[in-house]
Amino acid sequence: MLFKAFSASVYGIDANMIDVEVDFSGIKTTEDHFHTVGLPDAAVRESRDRVRAAIKNSGFDIPPTHITINLAPADIKKEGSGFDLPMAVGILGAYGALQLRDLSQFLLVGELGLDGGLRAISGMLSVAVAAREHGIKNLVVPKANAREAAVVEGVNVYPVETLNEVRELLNAAGNGGIHVAPFQVEAKHVLGELQHCALDFADVRGQQTAKRALEVAAAGGHNILMIGPPGSGKTMLAKRLPSILTPLSFEEALETTKIHSVAGVLDPEAGLVTQRPFRSPHHTISDAGLIGGGVIPHPGEVSLAHNGVLFLDELPEFPRNVLEVLRQPLEDRTVTIARASMSLSFPSAFMLAAAMNPCPCGYFNDKSRECHCTPPIIQRYVSKVSGPLLDRIDIHIEVPAVQYRELRAGASSESSASIRARVLKARGLQSERFAHAREKIYSNAQMSTRQIRAFCELGPDAEKLLERAMQQQGLTARAHDRILKVARTIADLEGQSALTVAHIAEAIQYRTLDRSYWS
C-alpha cells in the first residue's frame, strides 16, 4: 500500500516542497524494518523511533512490517525534525486509518514527541510562503508555530497539539469539510502596534557631535565607527540607534522574520519581527558565527542583523580574519556560503555601527587621564582594523568623555522622536530620488559611482575643499565616494538639493579619525 503526504524543507531562507511517500508490504515480520531514503540527515533518520513511539502512544497498533519512506526529490539533502508529522500521517494513511486519501491540499510539518505531542520547528514562515506559492491551501502546524505561519496571507493555518488532532482534522476533511476556523493574525496591525523602542536619545547627556553623526548615519544608511575612552557612552549611543531608524515596512518585516525563524531565534509569541534588529555579537565570535556556516549553511549575525544594525563593540578585539569577512556583506549586502554540495546566499543589508578605544588602555588623547601606551603598542592595536575595512565605514567620529557639568545638566536632551522625524523626511527625499533607478536603492549609502556623479555635483569652492582634503589626508578613492555620499545625506537633512561647502566640510570632518588620528 502506497500513501503520499506533503511537507517542506528549508534551504537557506527559502523552503522546497518535499513529497513524503510511504510504502508498507503488509507482511508481518518478527523484526521492525523501517527505512528512510532520499538523502536524510541524522535527525531525519532518527525520526523512525520517534514516529513509531508516537503512533503507538496515540492509540494505534502498527505491527512490525517492512515500511519504506521516500523523501522526494531524492537528490536534495533533508535535515531537521519537521518530517516527523508527515511521516506519521503517511504511515496512518497507508494502514487505512485516514478517511481522506488525497492530501494534495494539505502541507504537514512538525516534530513529534514520544507521547504523540507536537513541538515547534524552525523556519515555519518560509514553509508557509512555499505552501502559498505552490497553491496548497491548508497548512497543519504545531500550535507554537501558528502565529508565525498565519502571517502569510492566502493559506489556512490549522494549529494542532497532538497526532490525534491531526487525524481528526484530516478525517473531517474527508467526511465533508473542516468545521474548525483557521488561525488568523492581522500581521500589518501587529506590525504597527509593536514598533516601539524602549531606549531613547533623551537619556543621553552631552555628546552632541556624536548624536549628530548618528543622525546623519541613520538618514543615509551609513556605517559608523565611534572612537573614544571607556565610559564615554559609545555603547549607550549605539543601542539607541534603532530608535531613530525608519519603521520596518511589512515586506522588510517578512524578510527579516524568515531569517530569524530559520535561525531559531524568533519569539513564538510575536510571530513577526516588528522592530529593526540590533545584533551585538561578542568579540570572541568566529567567522562562521558572524557570516554563517555549517554543513548545510545557516545564517550568521550579519544576516540576523538584516534590515537593522550590527554593533561591533571593541572592534580591534575581534580576530582580524573575522573582521575581513565583513567586506563582502558590506559591499554586496548579501553573503554567499559555498559548500561542495550547495551554495546558498543570505541577505545581509545591515547598518554597521562599531566602537573602539583609541589605544589599549583607552586614554590616548584624553585630557583628564594619562595614557601609558607607547606609539608601537598603539600602532599594533590600531592596525588590527585594516585600512580596507575602515574605508568601508562612511563615518568615523570621536566620542570624548562626558564632562561633569553635562552629566548634571537639568535640561533634557532631544528625544529620538524628533530626530527620527528629520530622518524620515530625509529618507523620503531619497526614495523620490531613487524611485526610477534600475537597481533597488533605498538610501544614499547604496549609491553607485554613476549615481554619485549624477546626484553629488559640486560647485567650484566645494570642489577645491574636497581636493585639498584628499591630498592632505591621503584619502583613497573609496573614501572620496564616502565623503560625497555623506554630504548628500547632510544636504537631504537640510532639505537642500545642491551640495555646498558646509556639507562637504562636515562630511570631511567625519573622515578625520582615519589613520591620521593616531599619528
Side-chain angles (χ1 to χ4, degrees):
M1 176 70 72
L2 177 65
F3 193 88
K4 184 184 290 188
F6 300 90
S7 188
S9 182
V10 177
Y11 299 89
I13 62 169
D14 298 314
N16 290 342
M17 301 302 297
I18 303 296
D19 295 348
V20 181
E21 301 171 332
V22 180
D23 179 76
F24 82 102
S25 65
I27 302 174
K28 295 183 180 180
T29 63
T30 56
E31 296 181 0
D32 185 17
H33 296 277
F34 192 131
H35 302 286
T36 304
V37 296
L39 286 182
D41 72 346
V44 180
R45 289 193 299 269
E46 289 175 356
S47 64
R48 173 184 62 186
D49 300 318
R50 292 195 300 271
V51 168
R52 183 170 282 282
I55 291 174
K56 178 182 177 181
N57 291 322
S58 297
F60 304 99
D61 185 19
I62 302 298
T65 56
H66 290 275
I67 298 177
T68 302
I69 297 179
N70 179 43
L71 304 177
D75 60 342
I76 298 177
K77 185 76 172 178
K78 318 300 187 307
E79 70 163 354
S81 56
F83 295 108
D84 289 5
L85 179 59
M87 284 182 178
V89 169
I91 292 173
L92 292 178
Y95 277 91
L98 295 179
Q99 298 294 326
L100 183 65
R101 307 302 298 174
D102 180 11
L103 298 186
S104 59
Q105 287 304 310
F106 285 85
L107 191 146
L108 305 106
V109 63
E111 177 185 338
L112 282 172
L114 299 184
D115 60 350
L118 280 167
R119 299 190 178 100
I121 66 161
S122 301
M124 183 56 71
L125 182 61
S126 300
V127 172
V129 171
R132 182 183 63 184
E133 291 176 350
H134 287 80
I136 298 179
K137 297 180 180 179
N138 305 306
L139 183 59
V140 181
V141 304
K143 186 176 181 180
N145 286 129
R147 290 185 64 84
E148 179 185 345
V151 167
V152 179
E153 297 178 350
V155 179
N156 298 322
V157 176
Y158 295 101
V160 290
E161 295 185 86
T162 65
L163 180 58
N164 276 325
E165 286 187 31
V166 178
R167 177 175 175 269
E168 291 172 4
L169 181 73
L170 296 178
N171 282 340
N175 288 326
I178 302 173
H179 302 293
V180 180
F183 187 84
Q184 293 183 339
V185 171
E186 291 292 337
K188 295 183 180 179
H189 179 68
V190 172
L191 180 63
E193 276 189 340
L194 298 181
Q195 287 210 14
H196 172 71
C197 187
L199 302 176
D200 198 292
F201 271 100
D203 303 327
V204 181
R205 300 292 182 179
Q207 302 298 6
Q208 296 305 317
T209 303
K211 289 179 185 177
R212 167 65 175 177
L214 287 168
E215 178 182 340
V216 173
H222 303 289
N223 302 319
I224 184 170
L225 170 64
M226 295 177 284
I227 307 171
S232 58
K234 303 184 294 295
T235 303
M236 186 179 187
L237 288 163
K239 287 183 176 179
R240 282 155 179 76
L241 182 55
S243 68
I244 61 173
L245 296 176
T246 57
L248 275 175
S249 67
F250 184 67
E251 291 72 20
E252 287 178 324
L254 278 180
E255 190 175 30
T256 306
T257 302
K258 285 173 70 174
I259 299 171
H260 286 235
S261 175
V262 169
V265 297
L266 180 66
D267 180 7
E269 296 298 325
L272 186 71
V273 175
T274 58
Q275 298 179 10
R276 293 197 177 273
F278 181 86
R279 304 294 299 184
S280 180
H282 193 260
H283 59 76
T284 56
I285 191 171
S286 66
D287 52 356
L290 188 64
I291 296 297
V295 178
I296 296 180
H298 288 272
E301 289 291 334
V302 297
S303 296
L304 292 172
H306 180 61
N307 290 325
V309 177
L310 176 68
F311 178 52
L312 301 183
D313 201 5
E314 304 296 343
L315 189 64
E317 300 298 332
F318 285 80
R320 181 156 183 155
N321 66 301
V322 172
L323 294 179
E324 292 306 303
V325 298
L326 283 173
R327 293 193 195 182
Q328 184 205 2
L330 285 175
E331 286 292 329
D332 302 336
R333 307 175 77 81
T334 60
V335 170
T336 301
I337 303 173
R339 293 291 182 267
S341 59
M342 67 180 67
S343 180
L344 294 175
S345 293
F346 298 104
S348 58
F350 60 89
M351 186 178 155
L352 176 65
M356 63 179 289
N357 295 332
C359 65
C361 76
Y363 297 106
F364 178 71
N365 274 351
D366 192 291
K367 297 179 180 179
S368 60
R369 301 284 293 271
E370 182 180 357
C371 174
H372 299 284
C373 303
T374 63
I377 291 176
I378 296 176
Q379 189 59 40
R380 280 197 302 272
Y381 179 76
V382 173
S383 63
K384 293 180 181 179
V385 184
S386 68
L389 180 60
L390 280 177
D391 275 346
R392 287 170 170 82
I393 300 177
D394 302 355
I395 297 175
H396 310 160
I397 187 69
E398 185 178 6
V399 184
V402 182
Q403 300 300 315
Y404 177 81
R405 190 177 304 171
E406 293 176 317
L407 284 173
R408 301 299 298 170
S412 61
S413 301
E414 187 177 20
S415 68
S416 293
S418 58
I419 299 174
R420 192 185 209 184
R422 295 194 295 269
V423 170
L424 287 172
K425 186 177 180 180
R427 283 296 183 105
L429 294 174
Q430 294 166 50
S431 297
E432 295 176 6
R433 179 180 302 130
F434 305 126
H436 304 292
R438 293 180 181 178
E439 309 89 355
K440 289 185 178 180
I441 296 178
Y442 306 101
S443 65
N444 289 332
Q446 298 174 275
M447 285 193 293
S448 64
T449 303
R450 184 179 67 255
Q451 290 159 339
I452 291 174
R453 293 195 185 101
F455 301 121
C456 301
E457 294 184 359
L458 300 179
D461 293 339
E463 191 79 53
K464 290 179 182 178
L465 177 62
L466 180 57
E467 180 182 4
R468 187 164 62 250
M470 291 286 294
Q471 292 175 350
Q472 291 178 353
Q473 297 186 25
L475 300 177
T476 65
R478 186 178 281 114
H480 165 272
D481 290 350
R482 296 289 192 260
I483 289 172
L484 291 177
K485 290 179 182 180
V486 172
R488 178 69 270 165
T489 300
I490 296 169
D492 289 342
L493 283 168
E494 297 178 1
Q496 299 184 15
S497 58
L499 299 186
T500 66
V501 172
H503 302 147
I504 294 295
E506 184 176 352
I508 291 172
Q509 174 190 338
Y510 296 140
R511 301 297 303 189
T512 55
L513 298 183
D514 242 328
R515 292 296 181 183
S516 59
Y517 176 72
W518 290 278
S519 60

